[in-house]
């Protein structure tokens, strides 16, 4: 049960009428939700007035923190000027046009067009349709297959979940969109250390092995049937998984052998999270398409899109005819105005450089100290994204029994003590707002350390009530252990 006493009347209404995303409805009804009533800087506040350091930037999106008056003013001004108009039927409006131009100015040189959507899932749906249309226009309609990765996340629409590699989602939402297949993920801690095919215990050898899986799958399907490879630069929802250094160069070498598009899903890694405007720049990738969302508006209003490289855009435009696709809210003027202001603030405050040169390295140093904790088998971070692998045996890296739900236990302890740190199975993850300070990073690490100590204490005394359903009180990560339970 959450400590949300003042939220009780709202909790009751919530239980009676509100079906939450990625939630066991019955379980949440028994426990009640935590009602969040406010936010300021990197903190959120619940109905009891508890301030909680938001180590997840909402859901990987509130990059500028919770109190940016300029974003509010941009929304208000645009609401007054033109609250809505569409971008169908040969119409446009200043915010959508200006945002398109600004995004293309910030994107790598070979990207000069954007298609707007309302979310990251819609961005991936749009990407899928564009990729297949591109090959059809090129006279190669048989190029249909999209190769994505196990434990990748690309959204929750039917196409989004089909592109994602979350087995429990496939099982519930199927049948999936045909022509999508998944290869192994470059997740060293979970899969690399014990890979039987690997003769060495080298991360880089594992990275190359995972890239070979792409080559093998392309050959199995026939290169003439493969449209695109889709991946996140760093897997976010899968567990903040930074691939071995060898992985992306090896993937690039495979793709160079074939005429296949590269799609890099920037929904989480885009807009500064890894210390570059786009995660693909950190890994020196030149994607043909990049789905975007989340940090684009700092989460203040829903907006997403697909950045489309010249190769694809030129064909869609020149060979085109009508593209039968779009959303009522594609390029919504108020969302676009807020996104434009977000990009302006990020540039004015030099936030991306600060993440790369200052905040990211600072977090890396502080975060690494957690690896000394007896529960932590690995602490990793890149930019302002980090993960801790919780283990039963530090020497061997052996995991806890899944039934103990240690990740959920740790997450709930964090929430009670004033930190949002997500669990994905027994992997704890953070992705704080990009405006976090050194002092706040120190506070985050201290809270995480205290939570690890308390988790260890409860495990040792057996006082944590083991069953995951009995401990869960946070909305933010209820789904993740179920998402990844098969991986
Ligand atoms: N691609 C990526 C890489 C994402 O992380 C989406 C697409 C879909 O975006 P929308 O806006 O449709 O949700 C996402 C979303 C989690 C979690 O628990 C992650 C996301 C969404 C919900 C929960 O980590 N990512």
């Amino acid at each position: 049960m959450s400590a949300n006493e003042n939220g009780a009347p709202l909790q009751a209404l919530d239980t009676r009428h509100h079906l939450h995303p990625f939630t066991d409805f019955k379980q949440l009804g028994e426990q009640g939700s935590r009602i969040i009533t406010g936010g300021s800087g990197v903190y959120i506040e619940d109905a009891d007035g508890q301030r909680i350091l938001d180590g997840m930037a909402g859901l990987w999106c509130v990059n500028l923190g919770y109190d940016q008056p300029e974003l509010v003013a941009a929304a208000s001004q645009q609401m007054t000027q033109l609250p809505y108009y569409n971008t169908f039927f040969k119409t446009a409006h200043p915010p959508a046009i200006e945002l398109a131009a600004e995004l293309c100015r910030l994107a790598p040189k070979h990207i000069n067009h954007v298609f707007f959507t309302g979310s990251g899932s819609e961005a991936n749906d749009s990407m899928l349709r564009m990729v297949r249309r591109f090959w059809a226009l090129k006279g190669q309609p048989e190029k249909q297959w999209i190769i994505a990765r196990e434990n990748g996340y690309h959204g929750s629409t039917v196409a989004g979940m089909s592109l994602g590699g979350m087995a429990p989602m496939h099982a519930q939402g199927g049948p999936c969109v045909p022509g999508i297949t998944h290869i192994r993920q470059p997740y060293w801690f979970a899969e690399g250390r014990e890979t039987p095919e690997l003769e060495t215990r080298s991360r880089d050898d594992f990275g190359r092995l995972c890239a070979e899986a792409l080559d093998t799958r392309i050959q199995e399907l026939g290169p003439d049937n493969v449209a695109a490879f889709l991946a996140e630069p760093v897997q976010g929802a899968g567990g903040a998984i930074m691939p071995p250094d060898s992985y992306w160069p090896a993937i690039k070498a495979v793709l160079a052998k074939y005429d296949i598009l590269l799609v890099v899903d920037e929904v989480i890694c885009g807009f500064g999270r890894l210390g570059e405007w786009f995660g693909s720049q950190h890994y020196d990738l030149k994607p043909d398409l990049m789905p975007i969302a989340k940090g684009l508006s700092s989460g203040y209003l829903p907006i997403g899109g697909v950045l489309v490289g010249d190769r694809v855009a030129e064909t869609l435009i020149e060979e085109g005819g009508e593209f039968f696709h779009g959303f009522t809210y594609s390029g919504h003027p108020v969302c676009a105005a807020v996104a434009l202001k977000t990009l302006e603030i990020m540039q004015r405050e030099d936030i991306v450089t600060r993440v790369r040169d200052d905040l990211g390295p600072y977090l890396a140093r502080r975060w690494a100290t957690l690896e000394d904790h007896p529960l932590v088998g690995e602490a990793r971070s890149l930019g302002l994204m980090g993960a801790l692998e919780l283990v039963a045996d530090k020497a061997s890296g052996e995991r806890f029994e899944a039934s103990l739900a240690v990740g959920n236990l740790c997450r709930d302890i964090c929430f009670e003590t004033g930190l949002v740190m997500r669990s994905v199975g027994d992997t704890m993850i953070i992705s704080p707002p990009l405006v976090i300070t050194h002092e706040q990073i120190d506070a985050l690490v201290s809270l995480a350390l205290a939570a690890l100590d308390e988790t260890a204490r409860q495990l040792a005394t057996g006082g944590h009530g083991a069953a995951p359903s009995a401990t869960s009180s946070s909305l933010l990560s209820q789904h993740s252990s179920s998402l990844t339970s098969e991986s």
Side-chain angles (χ1 to χ4, degrees):
M1 183 65 201
S2 81
N4 241 212
E5 283 155 30
N6 296 336
L10 276 173
Q11 268 183 341
L13 274 181
D14 190 53
T15 299
R16 206 168 309 137
H17 301 296
H18 184 189
L19 300 176
H20 292 233
F22 281 102
T23 294
D24 177 335
F25 305 132
K26 183 160 178 241
Q27 184 192 90
L28 183 63
E30 287 158 8
Q31 296 167 345
S33 50
R34 184 181 294 267
I35 314 292
I36 306 301
T37 50
S40 161
V42 298
Y43 291 90
I44 52 172
E45 191 175 312
D46 71 14
D48 289 340
Q50 191 194 353
R51 266 175 108 221
I52 304 167
L53 202 170
D54 184 5
M56 282 306 298
L59 213 44
W60 317 84
C61 53
V62 186
N63 289 354
L64 297 182
Y66 288 91
D67 52 2
Q68 289 284 347
E70 287 176 80
L71 297 184
V72 180
S76 162
Q77 207 174 355
Q78 187 56 43
M79 280 269 185
T80 311
Q81 178 71 32
L82 179 71
Y84 175 77
Y85 200 71
N86 66 68
T87 51
F88 287 45
F89 318 132
K90 303 183 192 169
T91 59
H93 41 67
I97 299 167
E98 288 166 20
L99 179 61
E102 185 63 357
L103 277 168
C104 294
R105 199 178 65 76
L106 293 169
K109 270 199 173 54
H110 71 287
I111 293 182
N112 290 293
H113 290 85
V114 58
F115 184 96
F116 287 120
T117 68
S119 69
S121 299
E122 289 176 9
N124 277 293
D125 278 51
S126 305
M127 175 280 291
L128 175 69
R129 300 204 54 198
M130 275 183 188
V131 162
R132 290 186 172 163
R133 174 131 179 90
F134 167 78
W135 287 115
L137 289 169
K138 296 291 277 182
Q140 292 174 270
E142 67 288 354
K143 267 176 137 11
Q144 288 267 322
W145 281 99
I146 313 276
I147 303 177
R149 302 186 302 186
E150 290 163 5
N151 199 33
Y153 189 81
H154 301 291
S156 193
T157 51
V158 174
M161 74 91 183
S162 303
L163 291 162
M166 302 293 184
M169 289 178 81
H170 295 170
Q172 260 185 9
C176 293
V177 172
I180 297 168
T181 180
H182 300 88
I183 58 169
R184 72 184 308 162
Q185 55 173 336
Y187 190 176
W188 167 257
F189 195 84
E191 299 183 5
R193 295 177 305 154
E194 284 159 17
T195 303
E197 312 95 281
L198 209 59
E199 280 163 18
T200 68
R201 296 293 94 195
S202 143
R203 284 176 198 246
D204 280 340
D205 285 347
F206 177 63
R208 284 184 282 271
L209 190 74
C210 294
E212 271 169 37
L214 175 61
D215 207 337
T216 307
R217 187 64 52 87
I218 292 169
Q219 290 182 36
E220 283 163 3
L221 296 167
D224 291 344
N225 299 317
V226 179
F229 174 60
L230 165 67
E232 301 154 81
V234 167
Q235 285 157 265
I241 302 159
M242 295 95 200
D245 291 343
S246 62
Y247 179 73
W248 276 114
I251 289 280
K252 281 193 330 186
V254 171
L255 290 172
K257 295 198 286 181
Y258 306 102
D259 193 16
I260 291 168
L261 298 175
L262 171 61
V263 184
V264 178
D265 185 335
E266 296 276 5
V267 168
I268 282 179
C269 296
F271 307 104
R273 176 65 47 199
L274 304 185
E276 299 285 348
W277 276 98
F278 298 97
S280 47
Q281 291 167 316
H282 176 81
Y283 290 109
D284 191 26
L285 310 175
K286 300 222 163 24
D288 294 290
L289 301 110
M290 303 198 296
I292 53 173
K294 294 197 189 268
L296 170 57
S297 63
S298 195
Y300 276 48
L301 283 175
I303 183 165
V306 192
L307 285 165
V308 186
D310 292 342
R311 180 178 180 206
V312 174
E314 278 163 18
T315 298
L316 294 178
I317 294 164
E318 298 303 325
E319 314 288 328
E322 183 166 348
F323 182 44
F324 298 112
H325 179 69
F327 304 103
T328 302
Y329 300 126
S330 285
H332 189 290
V334 182
C335 305
V338 168
L340 203 51
K341 186 57 79 176
T342 301
L343 300 180
E344 183 189 315
I345 296 171
M346 288 188 69
Q347 291 174 85
R348 193 182 66 215
E349 312 276 328
D350 212 6
I351 285 175
V352 179
T353 312
R354 191 151 23 113
V355 172
R356 188 190 61 202
D357 295 344
D358 175 24
L359 296 170
Y362 187 76
L363 175 71
R365 281 199 301 281
R366 299 290 288 110
W367 195 246
T369 63
L370 297 173
E371 205 168 82
D372 296 337
H373 195 276
L375 279 187
V376 176
E378 180 177 281
R380 57 176 181 266
S381 77
L382 179 61
L384 286 184
M385 195 194 292
L388 303 173
E389 300 285 2
L390 304 187
V391 290
D393 183 83
K394 201 174 168 72
S396 66
E398 192 192 332
R399 295 282 200 182
F400 287 100
E401 276 189 32
S403 63
L404 288 172
V406 173
N408 282 4
L409 171 66
C410 183
R411 173 202 65 198
D412 291 349
I413 290 168
C414 283
F415 228 132
E416 295 305 329
T417 53
L419 172 67
V420 179
M421 176 159 71
R422 273 268 319 273
S423 58
V424 178
D426 285 350
T427 308
M428 306 309 298
I429 58 178
I430 55 154
S431 167
L434 307 185
V435 292
I436 196 167
T437 62
H438 286 204
E439 294 70 32
Q440 289 164 340
I441 289 175
D442 291 344
L444 188 160
V445 172
S446 299
L447 284 163
L449 182 60
L452 290 168
D453 283 344
E454 178 60 15
T455 305
R457 195 192 65 76
Q458 292 195 23
L459 284 168
T461 57
H464 67 290
S469 60
T471 59
S472 176
S473 68
S474 121
L475 298 183
L476 280 154
S477 55
Q478 292 222 337
H479 76 280
S480 49
S481 53
S482 62
L483 275 183
T484 53
S485 58
E486 294 191 22
S487 61

